[in-house]
Amino acid sequence: MERICCSFDTRGKLSRGAHHGDVHVLLGEDERRFAHLLARRLEEAGFAASLAFTGTQGLERANHGDLDLAVVDVMLPEMDGVTLTRTLRDQGSQLPILMLTARDAVDDRVRGLQAGADDYLVKPFAFAELLARIDALTRRTGRSARLAFGPMEMDVPAHRVTVGGRPVDLTPKEFELLECLLRSAGRVLTRSEIKEYVWGFTFDAPTKVVDLYVHYLRRKLADAGASDVIETIRGVGYAIGR
Ligand code: CA
């Protein structure tokens, strides 16, 4: 199943094919502002997102059965993330579960994995990291993660980019920058959004780092035959296929 595919139609306009929209993610997180921010980012990346602010809500929501993946914080009121995971596994649920844990909470990670979580991510994390874990987990459940635009193709789990079938050698940050732009194709991303996506929610550096990496990325893409792909929107940010 294709999760996302953007390509040009015959008039050269951007058209979207099958989207992440068929991938429904449950977010179990009681820090509401953070939960809403993550949900918005996931929706912008083309996923459907549902929120649960307590473990009990998460369990109820998971029992509806129309979810593809759950991202669950360990520290949840009423029922913590580990208990939620164990309860779901005891009920026979095979829902892929990604656990969010605090940096020093090694015990939580071990308990989470023992309870049946498939993977964990340590807070704070960059949004690109979360998407990479989601992609890896949904790939295991038989979905692919390919992004395409014009002659450019990105195989996300394989970390491979090609232009006209020829591989382009990108550093991890350049790859994440391109991934971020491709996932939001057709929409302008601000420098702050890009910075947050690639460098993390707490990264405290000037947004100039974004301009620098866009410069690197453009040069590599142009060398590979895909020039003028990334558009600069003066005073705002960058876009692909706007
Ligand atoms: Ca929490």
Side-chain angles (χ1 to χ4, degrees), residues 128 147 152-154 159-161 168-183 194 197-199 209-223 230 240:
L147 299 161
M152 200 161 56
E153 280 197 33
M154 171 178 276
H159 250 247
R160 193 167 49 227
V161 173
V168 185
D169 188 24
L170 299 181
T171 66
K173 289 297 175 211
E174 290 164 354
F175 183 93
E176 285 170 5
L177 170 62
L178 181 60
E179 181 190 351
C180 151
L181 289 165
L182 281 173
R183 286 191 190 275
I194 294 172
Y197 185 106
V198 177
W199 284 273
V209 70
V210 174
D211 302 321
L212 185 65
Y213 274 81
V214 166
H215 171 74
Y216 295 152
L217 181 58
R218 272 182 173 148
R219 202 168 51 192
K220 287 191 179 176
L221 291 177
D223 287 348
I230 302 169
I240 280 182

Side-chain angles (χ1 to χ4, degrees), residues 27-53:
L27 277 175
E29 169 61 84
D30 59 320
E31 290 152 57
R32 294 190 180 221
R33 280 186 57 189
F34 184 58
H36 282 292
L37 174 67
L38 279 185
R40 196 164 69 237
R41 293 284 176 272
L42 283 173
E43 280 165 3
E44 283 165 3
F47 293 92
S50 291
L51 293 176
F53 300 124

Side-chain angles (χ1 to χ4, degrees), residues 5-236:
C5 179
C6 304
S7 56
F8 280 111
D9 67 19
T10 47
R11 289 161 317 214
K13 277 177 64 185
L14 183 76
S15 60
R16 279 172 191 269
H19 210 239
H20 280 124
D22 54 353
V23 179
H24 192 162
V25 178
L26 172 68
L27 277 175
E29 169 61 84
D30 59 320
E31 290 152 57
R32 294 190 180 221
R33 280 186 57 189
F34 184 58
H36 282 292
L37 174 67
L38 279 185
R40 196 164 69 237
R41 293 284 176 272
L42 283 173
E43 280 165 3
E44 283 165 3
F47 293 92
S50 291
L51 293 176
F53 300 124
T54 69
T56 319
Q57 274 178 17
L59 185 61
E60 273 169 29
R61 192 64 197 75
N63 281 330
H64 278 289
D66 62 339
L67 296 168
D68 296 294
L69 184 119
V71 177
V72 175
D73 188 31
V74 169
M75 302 292 279
L76 283 177
E78 292 174 18
M79 176 188 284
D80 67 55
V82 174
T83 309
L84 170 58
T85 300
R86 189 177 299 114
T87 307
L88 283 170
R89 294 298 181 245
D90 286 348
Q91 291 174 352
S93 167
Q94 299 195 353
L95 182 69
I97 298 173
L98 175 65
M99 191 137 281
L100 303 181
T101 72
R103 182 161 301 287
D104 300 319
V106 178
D107 282 357
D108 283 350
R109 276 167 242 161
V110 173
R111 287 193 309 128
L113 293 172
Q114 282 173 344
D118 297 276
D119 199 0
Y120 65 86
L121 189 56
V122 176
K123 287 175 164 180
F125 50 83
F127 189 64
E129 264 184 284
L130 176 64
L131 282 187
R133 301 298 173 96
I134 290 177
D135 278 334
L137 283 179
T138 49
R139 184 168 48 126
R140 268 185 243 158
T141 58
R143 298 171 188 279
S144 69
R146 196 184 66 89
L147 299 161
F149 184 83
M152 200 161 56
E153 280 197 33
M154 171 178 276
D155 181 335
V156 180
H159 250 247
R160 193 167 49 227
V161 173
T162 56
V163 172
R166 286 186 311 277
V168 185
D169 188 24
L170 299 181
T171 66
K173 289 297 175 211
E174 290 164 354
F175 183 93
E176 285 170 5
L177 170 62
L178 181 60
E179 181 190 351
C180 151
L181 289 165
L182 281 173
R183 286 191 190 275
S184 302
R187 196 171 74 79
V188 181
L189 287 175
T190 66
R191 286 177 175 77
S192 317
E193 281 177 312
I194 294 172
K195 202 181 72 166
E196 183 184 278
Y197 185 106
V198 177
W199 284 273
F201 289 100
T202 57
F203 184 68
D204 199 20
T207 45
K208 253 187 197 151
V209 70
V210 174
D211 302 321
L212 185 65
Y213 274 81
V214 166
H215 171 74
Y216 295 152
L217 181 58
R218 272 182 173 148
R219 202 168 51 192
K220 287 191 179 176
L221 291 177
D223 287 348
S227 45
D228 302 329
V229 175
I230 302 169
E231 191 187 345
T232 303
I233 290 84
R234 195 181 288 274
V236 184

